[in-house]
Amino acid sequence: MELELAQNLLKRILILGGTGEARDLAGLLVTKPGLVVISSLAGRTEMPQMPLGLVRSGGFGGISGLRDYLAQQSISAVIDATHPFASTITEHGIQACQVAQIPYLRLTRPAWQPEAGDYWLVVHSHTEAAQEIPGRGNRIFLTIGRQELHHYRAVPGWFLMRMIDPPASGSEIPKGELRLERGPFALADELALLAAYRINLMVSKNSGGVATYSKIIAARQLQLPVIMIQRPEIPECEQVNTIHQAWDWLQGKLERSSSGNE
Ligand SMILES: NC(=O)c1ccc[n+]([C@@H]2O[C@H](COP(=O)([O-])OP(=O)(O)OC[C@H]3O[C@@H](n4cnc5c(N)ncnc54)[C@H](OP(=O)(O)O)[C@@H]3O)[C@@H](O)[C@H]2O)c1
């Protein structure tokens, strides 16, 4: 009976994860009393870096699947710390929380901003990025992960493609070489890589954060043009940039719900 009572007092928090920030947040929240922290991973990476706390893996089955999961697991709040380009799960999270009337927060790293010496061409999609390559470079460093490579399949040129896991077998990818690596990457290594492969154009998503920023600094130092893909738009929602801001938000929500104001 006492155990049941204690469990009822615990607040169950769902982190939509798959990023370093999500792992850091889980590491912070598991130290806080009264919380059960569940991280959700999409389940696509072969050897994911595991967060502290409980972990579940695989899609929920759309908005309704996520809404059902929130109810079944008695989730008190959702913090979406997925990658800035993972916009489908973010839209699902926002909508499922609205229906379930559960507080939702987006934790996202700020986008990179161009600095003096950067030569960026800003585009809004992979289709646009692929169209812009001809005439700008023919030895291209394509650092967009493995899911969107098909957009570049017919683009003339030679591609150095960096990602964590290889593309699915049979997927259509451009001509070039795969480099399977997980960041963070050191500036000296990025400079050496760009020189060794005689890269004359980079294509990058504006992911933000520090783990992969050294390639942007390297491009600046080598005066290399970068085709920079902007983040997808997401519906309006509460957002913060750091795990400590996320904790402040969560405390506020939990205090309000325990005082009966929400
Ligand atoms: N996109 C990137 O560039 C990128 C880079 C680094 C890491 N990641 C991480 O990789 C994962 C997948 O990214 P994506 O761009 O493929 O996502 P997405 O396009 O936004 O989502 C596609 C579907 O994958 C499932 N899903 C995605 N993230 C999930 C999560 N954390 N937990 C449970 N299900 C999830 C959902 O399936 P259901 O509809 O069945 O629920 C979602 O509808 C995310 O966790 C993201 O943080 C993405």
Side-chain angles (χ1 to χ4, degrees), residues 18-251:
T19 59
E21 292 85 347
R23 277 191 302 281
D24 291 346
L25 180 64
L28 176 68
L29 296 189
V30 294
T31 66
K32 307 297 181 189
L35 298 184
V36 175
V37 180
I38 308 170
S39 292
S40 174
L41 306 179
R44 308 228 194 91
T45 308
E46 268 175 35
M47 304 235 314
Q49 293 173 291
M50 295 304 266
L52 294 176
L54 304 177
V55 179
R56 67 158 306 279
S57 182
F60 296 98
I63 298 168
S64 59
L66 179 50
R67 186 201 57 209
D68 292 348
Y69 178 87
L70 297 176
Q72 282 155 10
Q73 294 290 321
S74 307
I75 299 295
S76 295
V78 173
I79 303 182
D80 175 0
T82 56
H83 191 272
F85 279 75
S87 56
T88 304
I89 187 68
T90 290
E91 282 182 31
H92 290 183
I94 293 169
Q95 290 194 38
C97 286
Q98 263 169 9
V99 175
Q101 298 194 310
I102 292 173
Y104 167 96
L105 178 73
R106 177 100 178 100
L107 164 62
T108 193
R109 34 181 126 139
W112 296 321
Q113 301 299 327
E115 291 184 13
D118 282 331
Y119 174 38
W120 290 8
L121 176 71
V122 173
V123 298
H124 294 90
S125 67
H126 288 284
T127 311
E128 207 187 327
Q131 284 167 355
E132 291 292 345
I133 291 174
R136 295 181 194 276
N138 58 3
R139 294 188 63 82
I140 304 124
F141 188 28
L142 190 56
T143 60
I144 57 158
R146 61 176 171 160
Q147 292 191 83
E148 310 286 345
L149 293 172
H150 59 277
H151 292 282
Y152 303 85
R153 179 184 50 86
V155 176
W158 186 93
F159 290 79
L160 177 64
M161 295 163 269
R162 184 162 72 189
M163 64 209 71
I164 296 173
D165 289 322
S169 72
S171 48
E172 296 184 319
I173 64 170
K175 191 178 76 174
E177 188 176 315
L178 296 182
R179 202 174 165 89
L180 304 181
E181 277 180 318
R182 194 195 292 270
F185 303 102
L187 176 59
D189 295 337
E190 298 292 60
L191 286 166
L193 183 75
L194 296 175
Y197 282 90
R198 294 180 289 114
I199 298 296
N200 53 22
L201 178 66
M202 186 184 294
V203 180
S204 173
K205 297 188 287 197
N206 194 334
S207 297
V210 292
T212 59
Y213 188 60
S214 46
K215 69 184 173 193
I216 305 300
I217 303 175
R220 186 182 306 142
Q221 291 189 3
L222 297 172
Q223 297 184 310
L224 205 66
V226 177
I227 296 180
M228 186 64 82
I229 304 166
Q230 292 304 83
R231 298 163 172 210
E233 300 265 331
I234 58 160
E236 224 172 271
C237 60
E238 285 190 79
Q239 299 201 39
V240 295
N241 294 138
T242 69
I243 62 169
H244 297 287
Q245 290 168 335
W247 167 233
D248 289 345
W249 173 89
L250 184 60
Q251 271 181 299

